[in-house]
Every structure is written in structure tokens, then in C-alpha cells.
């Protein structure tokens, strides 16, 4: 009987010693807060964040003394992988971590030094807060906690896969919509930043039976060098009437605005003419230049329509003549100066390179 009492006493003593050991074992408790991809705002009511925040605040309140004493730090890990580069992802992850910590500092009345923070450019778009707190549970309860952690990890992995699938679907839809932008709203698409060479022809010149052709070299998105040339030679009424000319007009342009559609330029013009639309003809030289302005309307990827107007000065030095028995008879010289419109065009532009 004394042996039984001794054995029972020893068993109770071992139980009393062992139970605190189990009670002093620690387990991690993790709380996860979701963020919208590529955004850094902490939306508390969104995607279960309010429930996680309530659980975390309750846990902090239960262990507040140890937290404020520095015995129980809160491990904060910020994640972001929805941007293009590691630097951008780490910057967003840092802001997300700070927003979660600010929420806890305000609501739970704890301090910045109670946190240990790390940020990562991997895994997803969320912030985790982890506490390693004493667990008053047996080994069986620890196994249950491990099962819960595995379930949480599986949930995170499933959400990560769903987010990746959503981003892939959005990218696919954007790629499908891109050709429609070029086809349906040409005037609103952005001008390419590549340098290119364009072939030009002034439709107004063609309307006056004057063939016109030119080139423009876009050195960069903001600067271009253009040159247009015109030539024609017409006679009628048994060669008693004549309309002939040639002109060359080089121009330097500066393109403005987000789409580089508006421009200002400086033009020089030189040429010769021979007009005989009445009894007296005029034949001579012209030279001048001025300021140009215009707008390029994009029709599609290769074609633009250029509306332009030039204001400046022209000098015409010519001789007057009459035709008598098929012979030109000179009737004197004249020189005229002109200030005003010197050029107008509705020009079709074709990007050839």
C-alpha cells in the first residue's frame, strides 16, 4: 500500500512538471491581409481583411503586456509581385507593410519598435503579421495547429493561382483589344516614337492640275525635316494660253503635344512661273519664306492627313509679254512683294520606313 502511494505521488509530480513544459511551448499565429494587385491602399472591409484584423486585434489585446515589453514582437512581411521590376515590387511591399502597421498602432495602441518588418518581391499581393505566442495546448492541439497552417498555406496557394490566372486573362483581353484601337479610333492612338521617313503629296496642288511630291524625315518624335516640290506645264488655245511653274519648299518642323500631332515650322520657297491666262503673260522668278503651322490626323498605322497653312513673305520678279503671230513680245518688267498666306495644303502622308 505504501508503494502504491509512493508511485501515485511520483506520477502526480511528473505530471505537474511536464504540463508547464507543454504550456510553455510556442506556436506561430499568422494573420494575412489582402491587397489589390499593383495598389498599396489597405482596404479593411475587402476580401476578408476586416475579419483578420479583428482576430489580430483580439490576439494583441490578450498579449499586450508582453508585446509592449518587447518579449513578443510582431513579425510583419510585405509581399508584391504584380509590377514589372523587383525595385518597384519592394517599394509597394514596404508601403503595404507600413499601412498595416499604422492601422495596428492606431487601433491597438502599440509602437513601431514592437514590429520586425521584412519586405519581399515574390509570392503575391498581401501582408502577413505573425506572433509567436505561448500555447496552452497539448501535443494533440499542436498537430491541429499544424493542420490549420497547412490549410492556410493551401488557401494562399489557391488564391495565388487564381490571381495569376486573372492577370493572364486581363493581359489576353488587352492584346485582343489592341488592334481594334488602331482600326476604330485612329485619331486617338498614340504616335509612334520611332524615327521614320514619309512620302508626301499635297492634294490641293493636284486639284489645280499641279503634280506635287515630297519627303519628310522625322529625326525624333519632336523634330522633322520636310521638302515638297511641284511642277506643271499646260498650254491650250493653240498655245496662246499657258500655265506652267515649278517650286521647291524645304521646311523644318517642331511637333508638340502628347500625340505629336500639332506642329510649328519654318519654310523657304523658291521657283519659277509662266502664266498667260489673258492677252498678257507673266514669266519670272519667286522667292520667299515664312512660318507654317498644322495638324496631322492619323488615318491608320501607315497613313496620315496633314492640314497646314503658311504665312510669310514672297518676292516675284517677272517680265510681261504678249504673243503676236506666235512670237513673244516683251512688254516690260515688274517686281511685286507679297505679305500673307504663302502656302496651304491638305497633304496625304505615307510612312514608308
Amino acid at each position: 500500500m505504501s508503494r502504491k502511494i509512493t508511485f501515485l505521488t511520483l506520477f502526480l509530480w511528473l505530471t505537474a512538471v511536464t504540463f508547464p513544459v507543454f504550456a510553455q511551448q510556442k506556436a506561430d499565429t499568422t494573420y494575412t491581409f489582402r491587397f489589390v494587385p499593383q495598389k498599396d491602399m489597405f482596404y479593411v472591409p475587402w476580401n476578408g481583411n476586416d475579419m483578420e484584423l479583428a482576430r489580430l486585434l483580439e490576439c494583441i489585446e490578450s498579449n499586450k503586456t508582453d508585446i509592449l515589453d518587447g518579449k513578443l514582437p510582431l513579425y510583419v512581411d510585405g509581399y508584391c509581385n504584380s509590377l514589372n521590376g523587383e525595385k518597384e515590387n519592394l517599394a509597394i511591399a514596404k508601403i503595404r507593410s507600413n499601412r498595416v502597421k499604422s492601422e495596428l498602432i492606431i487601433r491597438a495602441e502599440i509602437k513601431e519598435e514592437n514590429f520586425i518588418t521584412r519586405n519581399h518581391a515574390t509570392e503575391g499581393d498581401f501582408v502577413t503579421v505573425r506572433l509567436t505566442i505561448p500555447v496552452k495546448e497539448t501535443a494533440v492541439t499542436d498537430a491541429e495547429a499544424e493542420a490549420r497552417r497547412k490549410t492556410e498555406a493551401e488557401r494562399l496557394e489557391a488564391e495565388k493561382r487564381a490571381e495569376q490566372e486573372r492577370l493572364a486573362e486581363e493581359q489576353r483581353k488587352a492584346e485582343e483589344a489592341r488592334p481594334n484601337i488602331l482600326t476604330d479610333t485612329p485619331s486617338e492612338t498614340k504616335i509612334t516614337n520611332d524615327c521614320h521617313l514619309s512620302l508626301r503629296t499635297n492634294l490641293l496642288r493636284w486639284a489645280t492640275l499641279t503634280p506635287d511630291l515630297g519627303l519628310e524625315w522625322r529625326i525624333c518624335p519632336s523634330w522633322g525635316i520636310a521638302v515638297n516640290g511641284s511642277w506643271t506645264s499646260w498650254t491650250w488655245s493653240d498655245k496662246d494660253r499657258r500655265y506652267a511653274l515649278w517650286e521647291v519648299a524645304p521646311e523644318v518642323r517642331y511637333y508638340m503635344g502628347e500625340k505629336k500631332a500639332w506642329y510649328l515650322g519654318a519654310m523657304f520657297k523658291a521657283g519659277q512661273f509662266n502664266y498667260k491666262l489673258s492677252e498678257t503673260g507673266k514669266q519670272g522668278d519667286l522667292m520667299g519664306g515664312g512660318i507654317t503651322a498644322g495638324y496631322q490626323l492619323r488615318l491608320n498605322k501607315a497613313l496620315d492627313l496633314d492640314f497646314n497653312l503658311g504665312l510669310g513673305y514672297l518676292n516675284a520678279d517677272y517680265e510681261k509679254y504678249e504673243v503676236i503671230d506666235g512670237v513673244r513680245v516683251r512688254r516690260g518688267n515688274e517686281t511685286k512683294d507679297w505679305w500673307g498666306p504663302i502656302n496651304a495644303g491638305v497633304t496625304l502622308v505615307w510612312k514608308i520606313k
Side-chain angles (χ1 to χ4, degrees):
M1 185 66 181
S2 61
R3 289 181 179 179
K4 291 182 179 180
I5 293 174
T6 302
F7 177 77
L8 181 60
T9 303
L10 180 61
F11 176 77
L12 292 174
W13 178 80
L14 288 174
T15 302
V17 171
T18 305
F19 179 78
V21 172
F22 277 99
Q24 291 172 5
Q25 290 179 350
K26 297 183 178 181
D28 291 344
T29 303
T30 303
Y31 304 86
T32 304
F33 301 98
R34 307 292 170 196
F35 283 78
V36 178
Q38 302 180 356
K39 305 294 183 182
D40 56 31
M41 290 303 297
F42 181 31
Y43 299 110
V44 174
W46 182 72
N47 203 10
N49 287 341
D50 50 351
M51 298 177 62
E52 285 290 274
L53 183 60
R55 291 178 53 239
L56 177 55
L57 291 173
E58 183 179 355
C59 181
I60 291 175
E61 187 64 29
S62 300
N63 301 273
K64 194 168 183 179
T65 302
D66 289 340
I67 292 174
L68 294 176
D69 291 343
K71 300 177 182 179
L72 185 60
L74 284 79
Y75 296 91
V76 178
D77 289 83
Y79 296 88
C80 178
N81 66 350
S82 55
L83 296 175
N84 293 330
E86 181 180 3
K87 184 177 179 180
E88 293 84 354
N89 283 319
L90 286 175
I92 292 295
K94 180 179 178 180
I95 296 174
R96 291 173 174 175
S97 298
N98 289 339
R99 293 194 187 280
V100 172
K101 290 191 293 183
S102 298
E103 194 74 21
L104 296 177
I105 290 172
I106 293 172
R107 296 196 182 210
E109 298 180 351
I110 55 180
K111 302 177 182 179
E112 173 66 30
E113 54 264 29
N114 300 133
F115 298 97
I116 298 176
T117 307
R118 294 180 303 174
N119 298 300
H120 315 270
T122 57
E123 296 193 29
D125 294 282
F126 55 89
V127 171
T128 63
V129 180
R130 180 169 53 87
L131 289 85
T132 305
I133 57 178
V135 180
K136 298 179 181 180
E137 296 177 343
T138 63
V140 175
T141 306
D142 290 340
E144 293 176 354
E146 180 65 24
R148 285 198 298 269
R149 285 195 293 271
K150 289 182 179 179
T151 303
E152 177 67 14
E154 292 173 357
R155 183 176 71 86
L156 292 176
E157 183 64 25
E159 290 183 358
K160 178 182 176 182
R161 287 196 301 269
E163 183 65 22
Q164 291 174 346
E165 292 174 359
R166 185 185 68 80
L167 293 174
E169 180 66 16
E170 288 181 356
Q171 183 177 0
R172 183 186 65 79
K173 291 181 179 178
E175 291 176 353
E176 290 178 354
R178 192 172 295 122
N180 296 330
I181 295 176
L182 294 175
T183 305
D184 299 337
T185 56
S187 62
E188 296 180 1
T189 56
K190 289 188 177 180
I191 300 297
T192 176
N193 287 335
D194 297 334
C195 302
H196 59 265
L197 190 66
S198 301
L199 189 65
R200 307 164 48 82
T201 182
N202 190 341
L203 302 181
L204 293 184
R205 285 287 195 177
W206 285 91
T208 61
L209 304 179
T210 306
D212 177 273
L213 196 62
L215 289 172
E216 181 182 6
W217 178 32
R218 288 289 286 273
I219 303 172
C220 65
S222 297
W223 289 96
I225 299 175
V227 59
N228 264 66
S230 303
W231 178 90
T232 190
S233 179
W234 295 91
T235 60
W236 65 96
S237 296
D238 197 19
K239 297 186 179 181
D240 188 52
R241 298 291 184 263
R242 184 167 179 76
Y243 167 60
L245 67 84
W246 69 264
E247 288 182 357
V248 175
E251 180 184 359
V252 177
R253 293 179 169 184
Y254 176 69
Y255 289 86
M256 303 171 292
E258 181 182 358
K259 301 173 186 176
K260 304 299 180 184
W262 293 94
Y263 64 86
L264 290 174
M267 172 188 287
F268 173 78
K269 178 179 285 193
Q272 293 181 331
F273 62 90
N274 187 350
Y275 301 144
K276 190 176 185 299
L277 306 178
S278 60
E279 294 300 323
T280 302
K282 298 177 181 180
Q283 178 178 347
D285 302 323
L286 63 86
M287 184 176 297
I291 303 299
T292 61
Y295 176 80
Q296 286 192 350
L297 174 66
R298 191 173 190 189
L299 302 179
N300 56 39
K301 188 176 182 180
L303 294 177
D304 291 349
L305 202 58
D306 187 334
F307 301 90
N308 59 83
L309 179 67
L311 300 175
Y313 166 77
L314 281 180
N315 172 266
D317 186 9
Y318 60 91
E319 63 179 19
K320 298 189 290 185
Y321 68 89
E322 293 181 4
V323 178
I324 302 175
D325 297 330
V327 179
R328 290 185 182 181
V329 179
R330 185 171 176 271
R331 295 302 186 190
N333 289 344
E334 282 192 15
T335 298
K336 284 192 176 181
D337 297 321
W338 166 260
W339 291 90
I342 61 171
N343 187 72
V346 178
T347 303
L348 186 64
V349 182
W350 175 37
K351 300 173 186 175
I352 58 177
K353 184 179 179 182

